[in-house]
């Protein structure tokens, strides 16, 4: 996930007290929560007690006097780097302390009281699943509720995830992000205040070898079948005329396991007017001693970057001998814990980018050395034109894995 603090706000204190500075924390360019320096300091102190000072990145120091505008901006930049570093750390970013802080802040910022609500989750074929949840339920709670409603076995839940998507009136469909453990799905979708945004259940793995595990179960098979047919109809999976003819024939026979999957690539939805333009750039070893930057401009650049990270996470689970069946976090002593095989990959050393206009990037491997993401949107969009984020997922992945 890409955290940023692109702006601050001067706000009045409680009961007409003195004004204070609030920092707007964005996730993938969308406002997640609004917090004060003292709240972030409290989070830092709590993390330090739990994990020790040596594990934590540097936190912006306190000031005895009021900050000048330049100092406010400097602190904003420091807090942004701090939040990015904590999130990308395998231990800190998956901690319940960090994630629960962000969930509480999201609920408080959006001023959503804790109460039972009915939440609509879509399947790939457009079918609606209504689940009764609390507004304060985190992503995994909602995912488990949807799985229970569908009668999907517990050991298959880890194969699926909830995604926030945007579907316009003209049928244009795009992914915003996979919902994470630090957010509340009901608050995330309702705070956008538009019927275009929806939550969809989809498979969340890349290796097709896992399909056999899922298809052993009737519900899992139905979910994979619906997603495959939908993706082909939307043009996200490219098929030949012959493959499309075979698909129609198998659909008529209701032969779900034999849906033909092409070996080629996929196609992404087009960009509508007024949407933010984003660049995903990576440095690739074209030949010995010759690195070259490849840039893809797409409104789905954030999603592409996240997908790259999830691919590597899956590779690391497989290399460590872990099972995707165990990727669901389990409750231990009342708190949610992520299995060792699902821990994010430790951030590698930084690597200087050959492009002076870009920030420092991160080492990927000797083949795919750096990945960056930046917004090049219009002033009216949430993404900053100068925002550049590195993807810190790729240490430990060799050329044979790419």
């Amino acid at each position: 996930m890409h955290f940023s603090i692109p702006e601050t706000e001067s706000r009045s204190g409680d009961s007409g007290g003195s004004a204070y500075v609030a920092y707007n924390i964005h996730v993938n360019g969308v406002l997640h929560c609004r917090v004060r320096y003292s709240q972030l300091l409290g989070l830092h102190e709590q993390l330090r007690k739990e994990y020790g000072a040596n594990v934590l990145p540097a936190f912006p120091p306190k000031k005895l006097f009021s900050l000048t505008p330049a100092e406010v901006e400097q602190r904003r930049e420091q807090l942004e780097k701090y939040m990015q570093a904590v999130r990308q750390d395998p231990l800190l970013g998956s901690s319940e302390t960090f994630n629960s802080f962000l969930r509480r802040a999201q609920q408080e910022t959006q001023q959503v009281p804790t109460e039972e609500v009915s939440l609509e989750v879509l399947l790939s074929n457009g079918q609606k699943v209504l689940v009764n949840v609390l507004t304060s339920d985190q992503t995994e709670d909602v995912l488990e509720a949807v799985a229970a409603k569908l009668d999907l076995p517990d050991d298959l839940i880890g194969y699926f995830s909830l995604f926030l998507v945007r579907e316009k009136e003209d049928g244009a469909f795009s992914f915003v992000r996979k919902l994470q453990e630090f957010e509340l799905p009901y608050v995330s979708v309702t705070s956008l205040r538009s019927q275009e945004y929806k939550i969809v259940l989809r498979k969340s793995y890349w290796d097709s070898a896992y399909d056999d595990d899922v298809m052993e179960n009737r519900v899992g098979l139905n979910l994979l079948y619906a997603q495959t047919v939908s993706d082909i109809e939307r043009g996200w999976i490219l098929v030949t005329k012959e493959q499309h003819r075979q698909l129609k024939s198998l659909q008529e026979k209701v032969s779900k396991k034999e849906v033909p999957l092409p070996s080629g690539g996929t196609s992404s939805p087009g960009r509508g007017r007024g949407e933010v333009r984003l660049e995903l750039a990576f440095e690739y070893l074209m030949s010995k001693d010759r690195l070259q930057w490849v840039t893809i401009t797409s409104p789905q650049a954030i999603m592409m970057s996240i997908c790259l990270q999830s691919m590597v996470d899956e590779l690391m689970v497989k290399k460590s001998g872990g099972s995707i069946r165990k990727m669901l976090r389990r409750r231990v002593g009342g708190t949610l814990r992520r299995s060792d095989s699902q821990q994010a990959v430790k951030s590698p050393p930084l690597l200087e980018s050959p492009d002076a206009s870009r920030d420092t990037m991160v080492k990927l491997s000797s083949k795919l050395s750096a990945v960056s993401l930046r917004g090049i949107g219009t002033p009216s969009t949430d993404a900053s034109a100068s925002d550049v984020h590195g993807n810190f997922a790729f240490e430990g992945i060799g050329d044979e894995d790419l």
Side-chain angles (χ1 to χ4, degrees):
M1 282 289 125
H2 301 279
F3 281 87
S4 63
I5 305 180
E7 57 188 313
T8 59
E9 295 182 12
S10 295
R11 304 176 67 84
S12 300
D14 297 334
S15 302
S18 59
Y20 64 89
V21 173
Y23 297 89
N24 296 326
I25 296 181
H26 286 221
V27 179
N28 292 3
V30 177
L31 178 66
H32 178 79
C33 62
R34 187 176 293 109
V35 294
R36 301 172 64 171
Y37 172 84
S38 59
Q39 291 175 294
L40 293 174
L41 177 59
L43 169 65
H44 175 75
E45 294 295 338
Q46 190 172 353
L47 289 172
R48 187 175 67 173
K49 289 179 182 178
E50 293 184 32
Y51 300 100
N54 294 334
V55 177
L56 290 168
F59 191 82
K62 290 182 178 180
K63 299 285 186 178
L64 294 177
F65 305 102
S66 299
L67 301 180
T68 65
E71 288 173 329
V72 169
E73 173 59 19
Q74 182 184 43
R75 175 175 280 183
R76 183 200 63 77
E77 293 177 354
Q78 292 171 339
L79 289 172
E80 180 175 78
K81 291 179 180 178
Y82 175 85
M83 291 296 289
Q84 288 175 354
V86 171
R87 172 59 187 167
Q88 291 166 347
D89 183 276
L91 182 65
L92 303 175
S94 61
S95 70
E96 183 62 16
T97 297
F98 179 70
N99 291 315
S100 62
F101 171 85
L102 288 172
R103 291 194 294 265
R104 288 194 303 270
Q106 182 187 25
Q107 187 174 11
E108 291 171 1
T109 298
Q110 302 300 339
Q111 298 181 335
V112 177
T114 297
E115 58 186 359
E116 186 172 310
V117 293
S118 181
L119 179 63
E120 182 180 278
V121 176
L122 299 182
L123 304 183
S124 296
N125 60 2
Q127 180 182 343
K128 299 177 181 179
V129 179
L130 290 178
V131 290
N132 293 324
V133 299
L134 294 176
T135 54
S136 57
D137 278 348
Q138 60 189 290
T139 301
E140 186 165 356
D141 294 330
V142 176
L143 178 60
E144 290 177 350
V146 174
K149 193 71 175 287
L150 295 173
D151 202 23
L152 182 70
D154 289 346
D155 64 348
L156 293 184
I157 296 178
Y159 291 90
F160 295 88
S161 294
L162 299 176
F163 293 83
L164 183 64
V165 302
R166 186 181 186 187
E167 185 173 22
K168 295 188 176 180
E169 292 182 0
D170 60 2
F173 190 98
S174 61
F175 286 89
V176 179
R177 66 177 180 274
K178 182 169 78 170
L179 295 177
Q180 300 292 310
E181 63 267 32
F182 56 77
E183 59 185 315
L184 312 175
Y186 176 83
V187 179
S188 293
V189 69
T190 57
S191 64
L192 292 169
R193 296 176 176 81
S194 171
Q195 295 297 319
E196 292 181 347
Y197 293 95
K198 300 173 174 33
I199 296 176
V200 172
L201 177 75
R202 291 176 61 89
K203 76 172 188 178
S204 59
Y205 59 89
W206 299 93
D207 191 339
S208 59
Y210 291 126
D211 286 343
D212 291 337
D213 296 338
V214 180
M215 290 192 298
E216 291 175 1
N217 175 263
R218 175 185 57 81
V219 178
L221 172 60
N222 287 337
L223 290 172
L224 290 189
Y225 174 80
Q227 181 172 324
T228 300
V229 172
S230 173
D231 288 356
I232 290 174
E233 290 177 347
R234 289 184 180 276
W236 296 354
I237 297 178
L238 303 180
V239 297
T240 64
K241 290 183 178 180
E242 175 59 22
Q243 288 171 328
H244 197 270
R245 185 193 66 76
Q246 293 177 24
L247 173 62
K248 290 295 184 183
S249 175
L250 291 169
Q251 282 180 284
E252 292 172 0
K253 297 177 183 178
V254 198
S255 181
K256 297 179 179 179
K257 281 193 177 182
E258 299 178 38
V259 173
L261 292 180
S263 58
T266 60
S267 169
S268 61
R271 178 172 62 91
R273 291 184 179 181
E275 290 188 15
V276 62
R277 295 177 64 234
L278 294 167
E279 282 186 357
L280 176 70
F282 54 89
E283 194 177 19
Y284 192 81
L285 186 64
M286 307 299 291
S287 60
K288 185 178 180 181
D289 300 325
R290 187 169 76 89
L291 289 167
Q292 180 173 323
W293 281 91
V294 178
T295 302
I296 301 172
T297 302
S298 169
Q300 296 290 293
I302 289 175
M303 192 67 186
M304 291 179 192
S305 180
I306 294 169
C307 287
L308 277 174
Q309 181 163 339
S310 66
M311 289 177 190
V312 173
D313 286 343
E314 189 173 309
L315 280 170
M316 294 303 291
V317 170
K318 201 168 186 177
K319 288 182 72 173
S320 66
S323 169
I324 201 168
R325 290 178 182 269
K326 299 177 182 178
M327 288 182 69
L328 179 66
R329 292 181 304 159
R330 302 299 182 186
R331 293 186 183 273
V332 179
T335 61
L336 286 164
R337 300 290 183 186
R338 186 187 294 269
S339 64
D340 292 339
S341 63
Q342 195 188 6
Q343 292 287 0
V345 183
K346 185 178 179 182
S347 300
L350 295 178
L351 174 71
E352 289 297 329
S353 166
D355 186 344
S357 67
R358 298 182 187 275
D359 285 350
T360 304
M361 298 302 148
V362 292
K363 187 70 183 296
L364 173 66
S365 76
S366 60
K367 194 71 174 176
L368 186 59
S369 64
V371 176
S372 72
L373 182 70
R374 69 173 178 175
I376 50 176
T378 61
S380 62
T381 62
D382 279 334
S384 168
S386 61
D387 282 347
V388 180
H389 303 284
N391 195 318
F392 292 82
F394 306 99
E395 188 182 42
I397 297 297
D399 292 351
E400 69 278 6
D401 297 310
L402 292 175

